[in-house]
Amino acid sequence: MAPQAVGRDRTTPAGYDVVIVGAGFSGLYMLHKVRQMGLSARVYEAGSGVGGTWFWNRYPGARVDIESQEYSYSFSPELEDEWQWTERYASQPELLRYLNHVADRFNLRGNIQLETRVTSAIFDERSDRWSIGTDRGEQITAKFCVMATGCLSVTKDPDFKGVESFKGPSYHTGRWPHEGVDFTGMQVGVIGTGSSAIQSIPMIAEQASHVTVFQRTPNFSVPAHNAPVDPGVVRDWREHRAQYRKEARQAGFGIRMLDQSERSVFDATPEEIKRTYEERWARGGFSLAGAFADIVVNKEANAIASAFVADKIRSIVKNPEIAEKLVPKTYPIVTKRLCIDTGYYATFNRDNVSLIDVAQNPIIEITPQGIRTRDAEYKVDAIVYAIGFDAMTGAVGKIDIQGRGGVKLKESWAEGPRTYLGLMVSGFPNLFLVTGPGSPSVLCNMALAIEQHVEWISGCIAYVNERQAGAIEATTAAQDAWVASVNEIADATLFPLANSWYIGANVPGKPRVFMPYIGGFPTYEQICNEVATKGYEGFALRSPARGS
Ligand code: FAD
Ligand code: NAP
């Protein structure tokens, strides 16, 4: 198949080689790759700008939980050379500037259509093409369709009784107003204590007259020790970048700064354990999770880490009753994504912050004046819903995706998502998922996980085109074996013990299936590479359909 001029349509004006849904980290790189391959492509993005997560989540305090140097694209040395991060953990505005810079630098905007939501994607077996519909009434066809729709892009709507009756303003952290929010002089209620709340509460408390935090499950959080980027770090990265990027790819969670130890905690003395955890707490961020080898697989090993952080909470929070409420007791540390904070626990020492435990005493309704739990009504001027996302399957679930024989993806996934490698779904030819369920995705440095997926997908598209095949599809046998393996590996860890969004526990009625692959990024990448090297083992190629 002869390569085609960049940005030109191959078939009809409404036909592309590749349609990409979403213009975040994934969609932008995917577009760059397919354009480099000489394919025509169109990106559809629901938002009014590029950036995905970093376009939508503009709440105060939003920033990355992995050091900026690591949470960035590695595919272009020129991009790496010219972009200068200003903070150890980049803030949302800086990340958004970065992704806009990427869109400009690689001249991507011409192929991106903003404010357009893809509503359907239907595979036509007669032509081997996807027919894609948008909320603007467009119908476009493409040989390949890439869902770069994000794992955390569909916010969970508050489903409390009376939500609409509230007289004041309310905000979801994942859909924060672009112009920002001024809470000065206001009494603010924050519902939720996940990462978004843990980042935003300290900032809101500095502005509001009072903040009431409604906590159902406390979270483990460790200090970021954020600061302006140390010039020494910049020089060091410049000199050793290739090596550091390689080390990240070899690290279990794709995070070099985790500095994963191979040592069991049971081989260390109590003094060594204490010293190690203190040193990692002082270093900040995810490094605490890498202190010993057995933290995610052994309950006793995990309990030592959990107890260390619990003691830290008790030492920071002056009121022992509040401290006790903030200590997580119902799940092992790290089995939910560890929160990385700036001054979260100390915020509860402020006179203008109170904590309401809604585990035993749940929120029963939102009233015109505030939030009513079973025991009391709390009057507030504004409500912040930091209640999370319909994770991993939410965005693709909102699109009417129909594969071979008109089978709906939603129906295929009724009992939980099933994929091969988190990349493709049996029965849905030429449809790719970036960081789909069944891949390491959200358990990783996602920037790295995304690059690996985009590169694999590009290789697969090239393979199909070079062979002039009509379609490629995961076989049911390969998919079944992969799903079984993903579950088996998860069951060997402590992760299923937490009621997390990793198993869909946060969305009522969602099937409880552990969605990400937890066998580690290097193992996963190796499997993907081997599959490709062996001629896309586990995938079936089809000759072009007669109408194609
Ligand atoms: P997204 O950035 O979510 O982009 C997907 C885009 O697709 C969105 O813009 C959405 O509008 C669009 N879209 C979805 N459906 C449709 C449709 N039907 N039609 C058109 N457009 C559609 N990961 C980390 O590794 N480290 C972090 O520190 C970190 N922090 C995070 C903080 C927050 C607040 C959140 C919510 C997530 C965070 N993540 C983090 C995960 C983060 O989502 C990924 O790191 C990464 O940004 C995902 O990029 P993406 O392009 O795959 O998805
Ligand atoms: P989340 O982790 O799902 O947290 C949602 C919070 O809302 C939880 O505390 C949850 O309590 C609470 N909640 C939900 N429904 C509730 C109800 N009906 N009543 C009371 N409380 C309720 O969502 P998130 O904080 O937005 O984070 C999601 C993910 O995004 C993170 O895990 C992380 O991967 C990513 N993220 C990263 C960063 C970062 O540091 N860079 C920042 C934000 C987000 P329960 O736990 O009891 O359900």
Side-chain angles (χ1 to χ4, degrees), residues 54 59 63-65 152 156 159-160 173 191-197 199 214 216-217 219 336-337 340 358 363 386-389 501 506:
W54 306 106
Y59 60 82
R63 63 178 68 250
V64 66
D65 61 8
L152 294 158
K156 216 181 89 161
D159 54 1
F160 303 104
T173 48
I191 303 178
T193 48
S195 305
S196 300
Q199 289 190 326
F214 295 83
R216 190 165 63 184
T217 313
N219 250 296
K336 292 185 181 192
R337 192 167 176 114
I340 312 295
V358 294
I363 297 170
I387 56 175
F389 299 86
W501 55 258
N506 66 331

Side-chain angles (χ1 to χ4, degrees), residues 60-122:
R63 63 178 68 250
V64 66
D65 61 8
I66 296 167
E67 287 180 2
S68 314
Q69 323 282 344
E70 283 200 56
Y71 185 78
S72 57
Y73 292 117
S74 65
F75 68 84
S76 162
E78 296 79 20
L79 172 66
E80 290 189 293
D81 277 339
E82 73 201 15
W83 185 263
Q84 185 59 68
W85 295 105
T86 65
E87 290 182 271
R88 184 177 173 193
Y89 300 88
S91 66
Q92 172 274 327
E94 188 167 19
L95 285 155
L96 187 57
R97 275 200 302 279
Y98 172 71
L99 290 167
N100 273 286
H101 171 73
V102 169
D104 291 331
R105 188 186 191 297
F106 297 101
N107 196 20
L108 301 177
R109 292 193 196 272
N111 297 64
I112 302 174
Q113 185 169 319
L114 299 171
E115 294 180 305
T116 308
R117 182 169 289 283
V118 167
T119 50
S120 63
I122 295 168

Side-chain angles (χ1 to χ4, degrees), residues 210-270:
H210 195 91
V211 179
T212 308
V213 178
F214 295 83
Q215 169 187 273
R216 190 165 63 184
T217 313
N219 250 296
F220 287 103
S221 191
V222 299
H225 301 311
N226 187 37
V229 169
D230 180 341
V233 170
V234 176
R235 273 196 306 276
D236 186 41
W237 265 82
R238 230 167 231 155
E239 270 173 45
H240 303 106
R241 196 187 288 131
Q243 173 61 21
Y244 290 171
R245 292 289 198 186
K246 197 167 148 207
E247 284 170 15
R249 278 184 115 93
Q250 287 163 353
F253 292 96
I255 306 173
R256 178 177 169 269
M257 65 177 286
L258 188 75
D259 189 12
Q260 182 63 59
S261 163
E262 300 291 310
R263 190 182 190 198
S264 163
V265 73
F266 303 112
D267 293 335
T269 63

Side-chain angles (χ1 to χ4, degrees), residues 390-459:
D390 182 355
M392 303 203 73
T393 55
V396 282
K398 278 190 174 287
I399 303 171
D400 178 17
I401 301 176
Q402 297 180 26
R404 264 190 304 108
V407 173
K408 288 178 181 278
L409 184 71
K410 233 180 166 164
E411 284 163 13
S412 294
W413 284 9
E415 311 274 301
R418 299 182 71 77
T419 70
Y420 182 34
L421 300 172
L423 280 158
M424 292 194 91
V425 184
S426 174
F428 297 81
N430 292 357
L431 178 82
F432 297 96
L433 308 169
V434 185
T435 65
S439 73
S441 60
V442 290
L443 292 176
C444 256
N445 169 1
M446 283 203 69
L448 190 151
I450 286 166
E451 280 195 318
Q452 185 256 337
H453 262 200
V454 167
E455 284 156 18
W456 191 95
I457 292 167
S458 311

